[in-house]
Amino acid sequence: MADRVTVIGWDGTPLTEAARAALGAATLVAGAPYQLAALELPRGAERMVLGSVELAARRIADHRGAAVVVAEGDPGFFGVVRTLRRPEFGLELEVLPAVSSVAAAFARAGMPWDDALVVSAHGRRLRRAANVCRANPKVAVLTAPGAGPTELALMLRDVHRTFVVCEALGTPEEEISVLTSERVPDHVWRDPNVVLVVGGHTRSSTEAAGWLAGRPVDFPGPVRGWALDAEAYAAHDRPAGVTTGAAPEPAEPDRAVGGPAALPPAARALALARLGPRPGDLLWSVGAGSGSLAVEAARFGAAVAAVEPDADACGQIAVNARRYGVEIEVVHGAAPEVLGELPEPDVVAVEHSGAEVVAACLARRPERMVAVPRTLPEAEEFRRAFAKAGYRAEGALVQGSTLLPPEEPVAGEGHALTAAVPVLLLWGERRT
């Protein structure tokens, strides 16, 4: 095992005295090629290009002498320290950090970043990183070869964002570029780089700072709780023709169960529980109505695409998204035709469509899916579609009657219950 292992974070500025002393005593130095070329290394010290951190850790564990690992910025923030400290390597580390590349990027842009999310695109996480950018107005993305600014911009081609691309921070070749997302693929970008993705409901830099890093002051929005009443989404500034969630009278003879176009609170709560939307996910809400489920999924941190054929309803979704401070991509069109234009979903809610749409959504292989059949025969069609796609369908009949006080209380009388049409939910999880 190495006698001493020092991890030096370098941001291009002159090294501290402690870092210079550690580097001067090193018999093995690992780092990126540009770092090994730029730093003054001891004569005779073994040089190791830092590619796989696991391989470097094994080599250092077998080394006899003082080892130094040079990393970018703060090596404890999405850096090499996590891997080097794994128990199987048995390394004791001294860490000498510099300013993180994320902090440097926001400083170059002149922006506060306590309200920004930071995501890593390393290790095949580019799609999830893109979904975080869809759902949030300020995100720093730590890129990787093959998962850089161009690839990220192409995944966000249907979402307007501003990119601040910071190349080679702390080096003489440092360059900061600010451009809209559609122009990013026109450039060839150098590694390493950090990308700031900004847009949507951005907050003014003069607004009060929050207390939780990476979240706005009032996260998860101006209203506490989920499964709000339907009126919370449709009663204000409602355009004509948008459903309010009121339960219709059953019309068909075989309509054993029914349900409003917008899911009532109890059914919406169960649907969200079965979907489990989370940051990094993309949820499709198909037949979104006024967007109640779409908005609440976005409040959980997921990116959301709300598909709705009615233009007035699309306007109401946008109003509700602004009211609750979330980002939702509103897609005006009918499923399944418009689904082919959407990025791959992680979870899907089919709120108001038939078996053809359910099958089309299942063909995109989401991890989880919830569907709302309107009749028992339709529920059987949905169940067969789930089974054919390799999903095991389960379901529940949900009826949430509201408890209301009587208008004129009478001694000894209880409270009244509103009549509610039961709603049938089916859900399934992809088998791995």
Side-chain angles (χ1 to χ4, degrees):
M1 183 184 300
D3 299 332
R4 183 177 64 184
V5 181
T6 305
V7 182
I8 298 175
W10 189 42
D11 57 9
T13 60
L15 295 176
T16 64
E17 183 177 345
R20 289 198 306 271
L23 194 60
T27 55
L28 184 153
V29 180
Y34 79 93
Q35 294 168 331
L36 297 178
L39 292 171
E40 185 177 347
L41 306 184
R43 188 182 301 274
E46 179 183 349
R47 301 183 180 207
M48 181 178 184
V49 174
L50 190 60
S52 167
V53 182
E54 289 86 352
L55 292 177
R58 293 190 183 96
R59 175 68 187 90
I60 292 170
D62 293 336
H63 182 70
R64 296 296 179 265
V68 166
V69 178
V70 183
E72 295 175 27
D74 183 353
F77 185 69
F78 286 99
V80 300
V81 170
R82 183 177 303 278
T83 300
L84 293 175
R85 283 190 59 86
R86 280 171 25 189
E88 61 263 36
F89 303 128
L91 301 177
E92 294 292 334
L93 306 180
E94 179 184 7
V95 181
L96 305 174
V99 174
S100 76
S101 57
V102 173
F106 277 106
R108 301 295 192 274
M111 297 170 60
W113 66 289
D114 48 72
D115 58 343
L117 291 177
V118 182
V119 296
S120 171
H122 292 244
R124 300 181 181 178
R125 298 188 183 97
L126 178 63
R127 191 179 68 84
R128 299 192 69 81
N131 286 339
V132 172
C133 295
R134 288 175 175 274
N136 296 276
K138 188 187 291 185
V139 182
V141 182
L142 299 169
T143 61
T150 295
E151 292 82 3
L152 182 63
L154 290 173
M155 297 200 80
L156 295 173
R157 60 187 176 274
D158 53 341
V159 180
H160 179 73
R161 290 291 187 267
T162 297
F163 276 48
V164 181
V165 183
C166 304
E167 300 173 90
L169 284 169
T171 73
E173 291 77 33
E174 176 179 302
E175 188 170 352
I176 312 299
S177 304
V178 181
L179 61 172
T180 54
S181 52
E182 66 269 15
R183 294 178 55 200
V184 173
D186 297 335
H187 296 254
V188 177
W189 304 102
R190 294 170 296 158
D191 292 321
N193 60 67
V194 177
V195 181
L196 310 183
V197 183
V198 184
H201 301 311
T202 53
R203 292 172 175 262
S204 168
S205 60
T206 61
E207 291 186 67
W211 61 275
L212 180 63
R215 294 296 187 186
V217 176
D218 57 359
F219 175 80
V223 178
R224 287 182 181 269
W226 286 269
L228 305 180
D229 291 340
E231 289 75 12
Y233 297 100
H236 303 283
D237 304 320
R238 183 176 72 253
V242 175
T243 178
T244 63
E249 291 294 326
E252 302 86 11
D254 63 345
R255 191 183 180 97
V257 295
L263 289 176
R268 193 186 326 129
L270 179 58
L272 288 166
R274 292 295 176 259
L275 291 169
R278 59 188 179 181
D281 284 347
L282 174 61
L283 177 138
W284 288 359
S285 176
V286 182
S290 63
S292 56
L293 186 144
V295 167
E296 295 195 351
R299 292 177 68 202
F300 280 104
V304 177
V307 178
E308 173 56 48
D310 184 87
D312 288 339
C314 288
Q316 185 62 47
I317 295 170
V319 168
N320 287 327
R322 288 194 298 271
R323 178 179 298 126
Y324 293 102
V326 294
E327 298 280 334
I328 292 179
E329 179 187 357
V330 182
V331 181
H332 179 212
E337 290 78 13
V338 300
L339 300 181
E341 303 172 5
L342 299 181
E344 298 306 309
D346 297 282
V347 287
V348 174
V350 178
E351 300 184 63
H352 196 257
S353 294
E356 179 187 7
V357 173
V358 169
C361 292
L362 288 167
R364 299 292 285 270
R365 307 302 295 165
E367 292 180 25
R368 296 184 176 195
M369 181 165 153
V370 168
V372 186
R374 303 293 154 173
T375 65
L376 286 176
E378 189 174 63
E380 182 59 24
E381 292 179 15
F382 285 13
R383 190 196 63 77
R384 287 196 294 268
F386 272 91
K388 185 177 180 180
Y391 292 69
R392 177 171 164 269
E394 299 180 76
L397 188 65
V398 183
Q399 181 172 4
S401 298
T402 304
L403 186 66
L404 298 175
E407 293 181 359
E408 297 181 1
V410 178
E413 287 193 5
H415 287 65
L417 289 174
T418 60
V421 175
V423 177
L424 181 60
L425 295 182
L426 293 182
W427 60 84
E429 187 171 355
R430 186 182 66 205
R431 295 172 180 170
T432 55

